[in-house]
Amino acid sequence: MLVTTVRRLAPLLLLTAAAAVAAPGPLETSVDRAQAMLIHEDLGDGIHVFRAPSELDHWTSTNSVAVINEDDVVVFDSPTRAVTARAVIAEIRKRTPKPVRILINSHWHQDHWSGNDEYVKAFPGIRILATAETRDYMKRMGSAFFLAGSQRTIARLTKELETGKLADGSAVTAEARARKEAALEKVRQFAEEIASTPRVLPDMVYRGEMTFWSGAREFRLLSVTGDATASTVLYLPGSRVLVTGDVLVSPASGKGPPPWTTNSYAITPWLEDLRRLEALDSRAIVPGQGPTMRDEAYLRRTITLFASIRDQVHSALERGVMRLEDVQAAVDVDAIGREYDPELDVTGDFRGWVGTLVRKLMLEAQDGAADVVR
């Protein structure tokens, strides 16, 4: 069950396993068909969102943003798969002959920079921009790092098919076998792509904040904490459009609370930076995945959710509650969860997500010394 798994594995590994099982069948390799699978949102003023669903990008759904300026194009985030990047590039070329001159990578997770090589090939002289910390993470987290998650999924599926048993000892049914065989073939194909993807690092970096212009359009970049440290968000003050990467993320459907937390336990800095984003007063917010938000309601609700969990964790610790399971039991944000979706089953994935955040907040609150042994 995901509720159990989400407490034990990093978000990146969960995405590999979920993507492998969710959409059996070979990965799409046709650029034309990949283009047809993209979801396009025109935000006006030359700003275009291209949303790659998880059945195309496999790892997770991915949002890329293209900003068409007077003389050039600026792109925010390149997708996981080469075919997806080529599809987005084709969509940009349908709309303008202007070259992409700057590609911004929001952070080091592979669904935000694996397509860099395709942009370099398509637009000679392009500059790739990220925070200095993000570039350093990328240097240490290349193909071998991302391949490890797929290899674990391959090993698990292979064992289940060979033994005919799941991890809990139950038998693999004929229907499940067919689904797992298809998933195994798909994740093997994906692993081959990861291993062969050229890793192109940013060649421009910044720390803190950066502002640049293309013609009359102002681009503001902020280094913030999200599901990855030193993530970049983009604010376009002339259009009042905020592009967050995974600093703010919704389910791909746009319905429900955030689908994952973070690899680190820097939760309070994340909360503080969400409040910084709220102060920008955006008319449109493009999250790391999911549809564009036309107001700040989701952002504000997420701030309330993070703050409530943090405050309840701190309160429990100050009362002398120390064990992870006891602190998790003391935190109740079901009502906030239902504000995202009145039909949300809070007893499922949502409480698993909350339990993960509680664990990270305990680590943060006690300088990594919390009693989180289950």
Side-chain angles (χ1 to χ4, degrees):
M1 294 291 291
L2 181 58
V3 176
T4 300
T5 307
V6 76
R7 294 174 179 171
R8 298 180 181 176
L9 298 179
L12 297 178
L13 303 185
L14 284 176
L15 292 171
T16 300
V21 175
L27 291 175
E28 184 57 70
T29 57
S30 162
V31 174
D32 289 341
R33 288 194 293 269
Q35 278 183 261
M37 295 173 73
L38 291 175
I39 301 166
H40 172 234
E41 296 177 338
D42 187 344
L43 304 189
D45 199 19
I47 305 168
H48 299 268
V49 182
F50 299 102
R51 296 169 49 209
S54 57
E55 57 265 30
L56 171 60
D57 231 19
H58 185 68
W59 182 256
T60 180
S61 61
T62 302
N63 289 352
S64 295
V65 179
V67 184
I68 302 174
N69 306 305
E70 295 173 20
D71 301 311
D72 63 12
V73 181
V74 174
V75 172
F76 187 95
D77 276 341
S78 64
T80 308
R81 301 184 60 222
V83 69
T84 311
R86 290 196 291 268
V88 174
I89 290 168
E91 286 295 312
I92 293 171
R93 284 176 164 161
K94 278 173 52 177
R95 290 163 176 81
T96 180
K98 300 170 186 175
V100 178
R101 291 197 174 135
I102 294 179
L103 169 62
I104 301 166
N105 293 148
S106 63
H107 60 291
W108 62 265
H109 297 166
Q110 70 170 342
D111 49 317
H112 300 267
W113 71 290
S114 296
N116 286 7
D117 178 62
E118 295 298 325
Y119 278 91
V120 168
K121 290 187 293 188
F123 302 102
I126 190 174
R127 306 300 300 272
I128 304 176
L129 175 60
T131 65
E133 296 92 336
T134 290
R135 188 181 191 279
D136 286 341
Y137 287 132
M138 289 174 172
K139 286 166 58 179
R140 299 187 290 264
M141 296 174 172
S143 295
F145 175 83
F146 297 117
L147 189 60
S150 293
Q151 289 171 332
R152 279 186 279 268
T153 302
I154 290 170
R156 176 181 58 80
L157 290 171
T158 300
K159 182 177 180 181
E160 290 173 348
L161 290 169
E162 288 178 348
T163 64
K165 292 185 177 181
L166 301 176
D168 62 4
S170 61
V172 176
T173 65
E175 180 183 357
R177 177 173 290 277
R179 187 172 62 250
K180 288 179 179 294
E181 287 173 347
L184 178 59
E185 179 60 30
K186 191 167 189 175
V187 76
R188 280 175 173 162
Q189 183 184 353
F190 184 60
E192 291 175 0
E193 288 190 6
I194 293 175
S196 62
T197 297
R199 296 288 162 181
V200 180
L201 297 174
D203 56 7
M204 292 195 300
V205 299
Y206 75 99
R207 295 181 186 274
E209 298 183 12
M210 177 179 180
T211 300
F212 67 89
W213 284 261
S214 178
R217 195 191 301 271
E218 180 181 355
F219 292 76
R220 295 182 189 171
L221 304 181
L222 302 174
S223 175
V224 299
T225 299
D227 78 336
T229 303
S231 295
T232 291
V233 299
L234 166 64
Y235 185 61
L236 301 170
S239 307
R240 292 176 56 221
V241 171
L242 174 65
V243 187
T244 69
D246 287 350
V247 175
L248 183 68
V249 63
S250 76
S253 65
K255 187 176 182 180
W260 57 74
T261 60
T262 174
N263 301 287
S264 72
Y265 53 82
I267 307 302
T268 296
W270 191 355
L271 171 60
E272 291 171 348
D273 283 331
L274 288 173
R275 286 173 169 153
R276 287 176 65 194
L277 300 188
E278 181 187 20
L280 294 174
D281 188 30
S282 306
R283 71 167 179 86
I285 301 175
V286 183
Q289 72 166 19
T292 297
M293 303 165 184
R294 300 295 178 159
D295 56 37
E296 294 187 329
Y298 187 95
L299 171 59
R300 289 170 179 154
R301 187 172 296 120
T302 303
I303 290 170
T304 299
L305 177 63
F306 274 52
S308 181
I309 297 172
R310 185 192 63 173
D311 291 348
Q312 291 183 60
V313 168
H314 287 185
S315 177
L317 293 174
E318 290 164 8
R319 294 195 307 271
V321 182
M322 288 292 121
R323 286 182 54 79
L324 172 61
E325 293 177 350
D326 295 335
V327 178
Q328 288 173 330
V331 174
D332 181 0
V333 288
D334 288 356
I336 302 175
R338 292 191 182 96
E339 290 179 10
Y340 288 93
D341 178 5
E343 299 179 359
L344 178 70
D345 177 11
V346 294
T347 65
D349 297 351
F350 178 69
R351 286 188 184 168
W353 180 90
V354 172
T356 299
L357 203 67
V358 168
R359 177 183 183 276
K360 294 174 184 296
L361 279 161
M362 286 181 67
L363 288 165
E364 178 188 71
Q366 296 180 305
D367 199 22
D371 176 12
V372 295
V373 178
R374 299 187 62 82

